[in-house]
Amino acid sequence: MAPQPVVTGLSPKEGPPGTRVIIRGEFLGSRVQDLIGLKICGSDCLLSAEWKSPNKIIARTGPAKGKGDIIVTTISGGVGTSTVQFRAYHETIGPLKESAVWIEESPSQNFAWGRRTLTQSGLTQEDPLGLSIEGNEQKIPEDLRDLFPDACGDLSQENFSPAWFMLENHLATSFEDLKAGLAYLKRKVESQKEGQLSFLKSNAGSVIDQLDTLMNIRDKFQEDVKLYGKEPFSILEQSIENSISESQKIFTDVLVRKEKADSTRSVLFALSRHKFLFCLPNSVDRRAKAGEYDIVVNDYSRAKNLFGKTELAIFRQVLEEVDQRILLIRRQLHEKVVKMPQSVEQQKKLIKALTSLELQQSGTAIGDRLRNTDPAWDAIEARAKYLESTFRQTFDQYTTKDAAAQEKTKNRDPNQAPSRVNFCEELCDIAASQLPDLWRLGQLYFTGELRGPHDPKPGDFKRMVLTAIEKFCIYLRLAILIAADQRALRQSSGISWPIGSSSATHHFLPWIPQCLRYTRIAYATLIGLDLPSDALDIIQKLIDEVRLFCFSIIFKRATDRCKKLGAQETWETTVEDYPGATQLPAALETLLVETLDEVQSVCMQPEVREGNLLEPHSDGQREVTQRLQELLSAFSGIIAELAYPSHDDETPTHNVSQLLGFPNAQQPESVSGAGGGGAAVNWEQRMLCCLANYAYCNKTFFAHIGEVFVRYGYPLPTLAIETARYNANQLFTNLLEEYVEHKGDPLVGTIEPSMYLGRFQWDHEMEIGLGQLRPYAHECLDNLVGVYSEIYNISPTLLRPILESIVQTISEELARLMSCVQHFSYTGAIQAHVDIRLLRDALDNYANETAKNYFMEALEAISPPLNGEQKRKADEILERVKRNMRLQLLCFSVKEP
């Protein structure tokens, strides 16, 4: 409960009915609706009250008389008190005084003896006591009207009171002066009584002359009677009677004209006095055409207050005409309220005027002819419909323009923004300018400033705002999210953006970040309106979708650029951590860092009231994983494309010597080492570099890519990295098999021809004392040394996976060939034993369990088995051979090259 209203100031403090009074005080109401009562001197003045602030009210006094308090009543504080009083009095209305009531005027002329009396002089009368009133400015503190309610101090009035006159004019005059004034007044009265006798004394000669003249007239008259008789008197009498009759007619005519003139003057006085009412019909029309509706409301309210209860027919007729004009203005105002476009301030002004006029005409017969249920709500609905129609018109305009632009794709300027981008910009401008107007108009309505007599509709307004925002987001989705499910949008909204060509789509994709910027600007504007959270969530969802789409587009462009990295391959093996790996992974890292920088600045960094797209198990995290998988998969594909020869490359040669006992005669050029210059690279060297790149990515680089993502604030993309490592491992395995097949098949294919060169047979005796190997064993070792040197020159880490496969193939072939021999001679068994053991011992570091088993099968296949003498000779020959071939065997002795 608020404190009681207290009136502490008043201006003016007295006046007749209708006086404009400014009331000041404290707790006079918190708003307009809080003021429910105002009485001045007991008269209800609430209708004319105008609430300005909790400390100020302006009103007009009612038909009260005398002194009284000013009582203010509010809903929050109840009936108040007053520390000041107002004195109300009724004043005499003269012919030039404007009045709110009709004054019956009587003729001011008084005919006596046929002559008009003189009007009273307007000059101030002299003091009847003959005293000066100077120095008598001091006034009696009490109000003389209260002391003498039925008297006055005017000498010319019938209710003249000497006491009033003395208190008003001679309050400070001394008693001696008053006695002197009384003596003066007595002398003046005596002089007036002696005035007639003194007049005769001073004019005695004139009186005697007049008497002589009268005697002469009598004598002349008697002479005429004697001469002419009494007949002339009848003629004269008749003439006088005729003259009297004629003069009476003239007088009557003059009197009639005088009465007409008086009536005309009275009418003119009335028209002049009440010209406000008679000019009001034309005045309200003129003000309405000029848009000055506040003046129309004030004038109409004034006329209703002054003349609303009059009984005069002329006034009622004029008021009826004014009511008709106001009714027409109300219709015009309602049409203007719902007519768009216009500003909120203009609508607010029109709604207030319309509500005021409707309130003043409510409850009347003419007011019932037009009932505007709720002009403020009609204005809100009109603005919402205009907003939706503007959205649709803009959409239709740009879809038509975009369809026309599809026919001119050849002449399209790549720097010119597509129609979709221009549409997004204009639509966001419309939303940022008109949605705030709709929201402000609704707030004015629900706070009571524009509310009419009906209850508000908050649910309908919220649904209206949500619908407008949903429409806004649907149009943006259709324009921006070209990769989304357009069929679902078409079914839900009934509209769609025309499907453009692939070139038009490709032209639009780089502009998506700009569309996101336009949407964010509009979103920031709407955030400042304090809209409900569910309305803002609609736009936030759209922004998240556009951010993800923008992320996807940027990474797709990065994937396209990644597919062109093969042209930048220089085959320089300068990676310190992994020999044989080229700068291709570093180029991918550079591309990825640029992409992440662009993504971070464009879409991934959340702005005001935007969520984190990288929440666990969110669409954003799945999108990041998918795009990274595509990028790394494309990179793995580039490595695979570089590994295989193109049509312009030379035909790959099998670096296996076909001359028994000689190493490879063709020495291909090699790639540059860690510090060497770039030389021509053949297909085998490219394949080894690609294998090294695969192994490097699988072992180190892909994990480093995950660290790069973590450094930029992303969660570790474990799924994408593991998938990429799996794909790289598969490609590595395929490429390794291809290389092993390319190198191993020709090598294995030379073993059998070299073994039986020159019609050699194992069951024939041979010379073994020189301690040499058979040509096939020499050829096999020399070819393996060639493969070893080629791999070691590119990437020593690839020696084991490649040589293990080749050694396994060789051991398997030897086991097959030995098992095919039915019988070995004495020396043949020793030679075969030496050949197989040398190969087994030399390749032991690169022989897996399978290869060792095959070597064992080959030794066991020698039939008959060696006896002790044969084994001793075989051991001697083997030692001699190892000493002679120590340089060839040295490279195979290093376990971890």
Side-chain angles (χ1 to χ4, degrees), residues 278-293:
F278 294 112
C279 297
L280 188 58
N282 294 329
S283 175
V284 295
D285 284 344
R286 185 174 64 256
R287 298 293 186 182
K289 291 179 180 179
E292 299 173 348
Y293 295 104

Side-chain angles (χ1 to χ4, degrees), residues 285 323-333 370:
D285 284 344
D323 288 337
Q324 293 289 346
R325 301 288 180 90
I326 294 298
L327 186 65
L328 181 60
I329 291 174
R330 284 175 56 195
R331 291 193 178 97
Q332 296 173 355
L333 276 175
L370 178 63

